[in-house]
Amino acid sequence: MAMEDSNSLIEQRRAKLAALRARGIDPFRNKFTPTETCAEARTHYAEGREVAVAGRITAHRDMGKSMFLDVRDQTGRLQVYAQKNVLGDELFDVFRHLDLGDFIGAKGTLFTTRTGEISIKLTSFVILAKALRPPPEKWHGLADTEIRYRQRYLDLMSNPEVKEVFLKRSRIITEIRNFLAARGFVEVETPMMQAIPGGAAAKPFKTHHNALGCDFYLRIALELYLKRLLVGGIDRVFEIGRNFRNEGLSRKHNPEFTMLEAYQAYGDYETMMELVQSMICHVAQQVLGTLRIEHKDAAGNVTRTIDLTPPWRRIKYKDIVRERAGADWFEISPEQRRERAVALGAEIAKEYEDFEVTQAVFEKLIEPTLIHPTFVTHAPKELIPLAKLSPEDPSTVEVFECCINGQEIAPAYTEQNDPIEQRERLEHQAGGEQQKLDEDFLIALEHGMPPAGGMGMGIDRLCMMLLGQESIRDVILFPQLKPK
RNA sequence: GGGUUGGUAGCUCAGUCGGUAGAGCAGCGGCCUUUUAAGCCGUUGGUCCGGGGUUCGAGUCCCCGCCAACCCA
């Protein structure tokens, strides 16, 4: 923001800053070491115990010759009580002119007020950082969605429930790592800049490398590099990282989003089913302490309850389609399927192939209804070119889509490891535009990749499900917005 | 890309039929040494998102644009 962006409040604070300096006070101290956090001071309460805490001033109640301040750090709030006869006239005057948003370090002794609140009786304080701009309003918090997203720090400082979401997101990812590490998975990092973006059907972002004199694409999936590592002998491997897809933005889509992919040699899609179920239950139990997830509306009424208690429902793709679209769905003619899909309310584009008509029915009419965890297995082979055919029904592949909260959360396959088969499937990949083949990936397969199960999981959507957020922007700290 | 809603003080929001721009919080000044959305008294603060148009007169009506949220594609 430009320097000339100013108003009377900012000017007043700048004047206060100058006044502090004129009194020989440094309003931006290099260091102050608290003895503990606000929460710790509260937990380890003992009347008269000396403590030093640091944090941001979030409220003040001026009583004349004494004054209450709320100081907040990451762990919570602690009330500070200052008295004129303790600090002396001059320091008390400085204290009285502190602003909401300023950081201070406060030393004093713990006591409990008449109303029962644990507080610090101040003996001394230092200003650690002067805030030159006013914080958002204290009671309503920050409501303007645009400011909340563009200046997330304001959202975090004034809306505690928003901060809670992001602290929990961090713990979710930590628990995913703990779970996978306990099972012997190795975490790796693979290229985000790729000459040929593969592993999914999505439009990539393009960038240019000056020294190499060539274009690269930002990755759209992790898959093909992780499989190279299976070839290389890392039998249990995973990566948590950002994917980039140059497509529309919505409540469910951000151009960059976080993906977990994990591969296990000598496993298959059923191995991954157990992995996904156990992992999500582990995370929910560790972070939320429950397997029953409640989503609430703005008024606090429960709008949806998701029950993660295992075992999760398993159903074949064809069976769930038959449930919704008619038992004879796969017996009628493609033209009839098309007509019925439209009658059921699915949007069917002219150029759709037959399997895409069925997929549209699945995506529009079935997936949104899958609130409790459901493994939809054995999708038609045309949909997924990187999976192995099912021996019992070779028109389908050994895959599942794990749907929770009406969204795809985690797809998984028995991974294709036949290089000749793989080449053919990629060459005939569904979706129209022929993407360039990643020849190096196919060469890697020709060196031999062990049979393996693989899974991907949209971390943002997982967080939405677990944390009861209806928009992906509310689980991404800095969602993509158009520059102003 | 299409539709709907919104953009007014630092923040949260009112603003009637087109007729001098409002409140609460925050700020500033005063009173108050256990308050906690502290209280009481006084008070400052506006490019009404931007640009055109209609009109004697536009925050308000019309057109174009920008940004955001939601819905649809």
Side-chain angles (χ1 to χ4, degrees), chain A residues 70-305:
Chain A
D70 287 349
V71 169
R72 187 186 292 275
D73 66 14
Q74 191 185 307
T75 65
R77 187 186 71 94
L78 192 64
Q79 181 170 260
V80 171
Y81 180 55
Q83 294 160 293
K84 190 169 188 171
N85 60 354
V86 174
L87 289 182
D89 288 2
E90 193 178 343
L91 271 184
F92 188 76
D93 189 58
V94 172
F95 191 83
R96 221 165 51 81
H97 286 91
L98 291 171
D99 282 311
L100 296 186
D102 292 354
F103 280 89
I104 63 166
K107 289 185 181 172
T109 55
L110 293 176
F111 78 109
T112 306
T113 64
R114 199 178 284 165
T115 52
E117 176 155 353
I118 292 173
S119 308
I120 294 184
K121 199 167 281 182
L122 195 68
T123 51
S124 68
F125 72 96
V126 289
I127 303 174
L128 302 177
K130 182 82 195 148
L132 296 179
R133 289 171 184 268
E137 203 237 13
K138 62 178 177 183
W139 185 241
H140 299 89
L142 182 63
D144 186 308
T145 49
E146 193 171 351
I147 300 177
R148 286 186 48 227
Y149 296 153
R150 287 191 197 276
Q151 296 176 272
R152 180 70 89 180
Y153 45 90
L154 296 177
D155 193 23
L156 291 168
M157 80 172 73
S158 61
N159 296 326
E161 69 285 359
V162 169
K163 189 166 91 176
E164 195 55 34
V165 164
F166 289 104
L167 295 180
K168 281 186 176 153
R169 176 180 170 127
S170 171
R171 291 179 56 203
I172 286 169
I173 293 170
T174 298
E175 287 304 330
I176 289 172
R177 288 201 161 97
N178 289 345
F179 177 89
L180 290 169
R183 291 197 173 196
F185 281 81
V186 172
E187 181 168 8
V188 298
E189 293 163 278
T190 63
M192 290 201 186
M193 298 167 67
Q194 304 180 351
I196 300 164
K203 291 198 186 81
F205 287 94
K206 199 177 198 174
T207 187
H208 183 77
H209 193 289
N210 289 338
L212 293 175
C214 63
D215 289 338
F216 282 99
Y217 298 89
L218 301 185
R219 70 181 172 193
I220 56 173
L222 314 174
E223 181 150 357
L224 302 189
Y225 278 90
L226 294 177
K227 284 180 172 172
R228 284 167 167 92
L229 298 176
L230 286 177
V231 171
I234 303 181
D235 287 345
R236 294 187 179 203
V237 65
F238 78 100
E239 178 168 5
I240 295 173
R242 216 69 62 80
N243 283 343
F244 305 85
R245 296 188 181 174
N246 203 345
E247 294 167 357
L249 288 74
S250 81
R251 206 165 55 78
K252 296 180 182 179
H253 299 86
N254 197 60
E256 53 180 298
F257 61 98
T258 302
M259 193 78 176
L260 159 70
E261 288 192 25
Y263 293 83
Q264 179 171 340
Y266 318 114
D268 66 358
Y269 78 111
E270 290 198 307
T271 316
M272 298 332 266
M273 224 180 287
E274 188 280 328
L275 181 97
V276 166
Q277 179 179 293
S278 297
M279 179 161 68
I280 291 180
C281 288
H282 168 86
V283 168
Q285 200 60 253
Q286 293 298 312
V287 177
L288 307 173
T290 179
L291 295 179
R292 289 178 63 83
I293 313 298
E294 291 186 337
H295 288 209
K296 296 172 181 168
D297 62 17
N301 304 309
V302 175
T303 54
R304 175 182 296 172
T305 302

Side-chain angles (χ1 to χ4, degrees), chain A residues 9-44:
Chain A
L9 296 178
I10 293 174
E11 282 162 20
Q12 273 171 7
R13 284 172 180 244
R14 285 182 176 273
K16 283 185 177 182
L17 178 77
L20 286 170
R21 289 206 158 114
R23 301 171 87 140
I25 295 170
D26 174 10
F28 295 100
R29 290 275 286 242
N30 282 21
K31 189 161 184 180
F32 173 87
T33 307
T35 57
E36 55 218 286
T37 63
C38 291
E40 286 164 348
R42 209 180 266 276
T43 317
H44 303 123

Side-chain angles (χ1 to χ4, degrees), chain A residues 289-389:
Chain A
T290 179
L291 295 179
R292 289 178 63 83
I293 313 298
E294 291 186 337
H295 288 209
K296 296 172 181 168
D297 62 17
N301 304 309
V302 175
T303 54
R304 175 182 296 172
T305 302
I306 300 168
D307 186 358
L308 298 178
T309 308
W312 294 354
R313 181 187 183 202
R314 299 181 182 191
I315 185 166
K316 287 184 175 163
Y317 183 87
K318 285 184 179 173
D319 290 338
I320 204 166
V321 169
R322 286 192 188 103
E323 268 184 13
R324 181 69 173 82
D328 58 349
W329 179 263
F330 294 100
E331 277 74 56
I332 59 180
S333 72
E335 290 71 31
Q336 287 173 310
R337 268 193 285 275
R338 194 170 282 264
E339 283 168 23
R340 190 183 293 175
V342 172
L344 288 169
E347 302 266 345
I348 305 300
K350 266 188 188 156
E351 66 275 14
Y352 275 13
E353 292 183 39
D354 190 34
F355 74 93
E356 291 176 297
V357 172
T358 302
Q359 177 62 7
V361 168
F362 177 77
E363 283 183 356
K364 298 291 161 167
L365 305 177
I366 298 174
E367 195 181 288
T369 67
L370 300 177
I371 302 303
H372 299 303
T374 305
F375 292 113
V376 179
T377 66
H378 297 87
K381 63 178 182 184
E382 293 87 353
L383 280 175
I384 300 159
L386 296 163
K388 290 186 98 163
L389 298 184

Side-chain angles (χ1 to χ4, degrees), chain A residues 381-481:
Chain A
K381 63 178 182 184
E382 293 87 353
L383 280 175
I384 300 159
L386 296 163
K388 290 186 98 163
L389 298 184
S390 166
E392 61 203 65
D393 179 358
S395 71
T396 68
V397 279
E398 285 197 341
V399 303
F400 66 77
E401 182 63 72
C402 178
C403 295
I404 316 180
N405 194 27
Q407 293 188 39
E408 312 170 355
I409 294 267
Y413 328 143
T414 301
E415 301 294 345
Q416 180 57 264
N417 67 341
D418 175 340
I420 296 165
E421 198 50 34
Q422 179 72 93
R423 177 180 293 275
E424 280 175 17
R425 302 279 296 285
L426 284 178
E427 280 171 354
H428 296 102
Q429 181 155 33
E433 322 87 279
Q434 186 78 7
Q435 32 178 324
K436 274 191 286 180
L437 282 189
D438 186 340
E439 290 293 340
D440 181 74
F441 167 66
L442 291 167
I443 288 171
L445 282 194
E446 288 174 13
H447 281 283
M449 184 182 96
M455 58 83 67
M457 186 181 289
I459 299 296
D460 309 292
R461 289 183 180 185
L462 176 74
C463 289
M464 289 169 68
M465 185 275 287
L466 289 174
L467 302 176
Q469 299 301 312
E470 304 307 323
S471 169
I472 196 169
R473 297 185 191 95
D474 292 323
V475 298
I476 292 175
L477 279 169
F478 299 99
Q480 205 74 48
L481 294 183

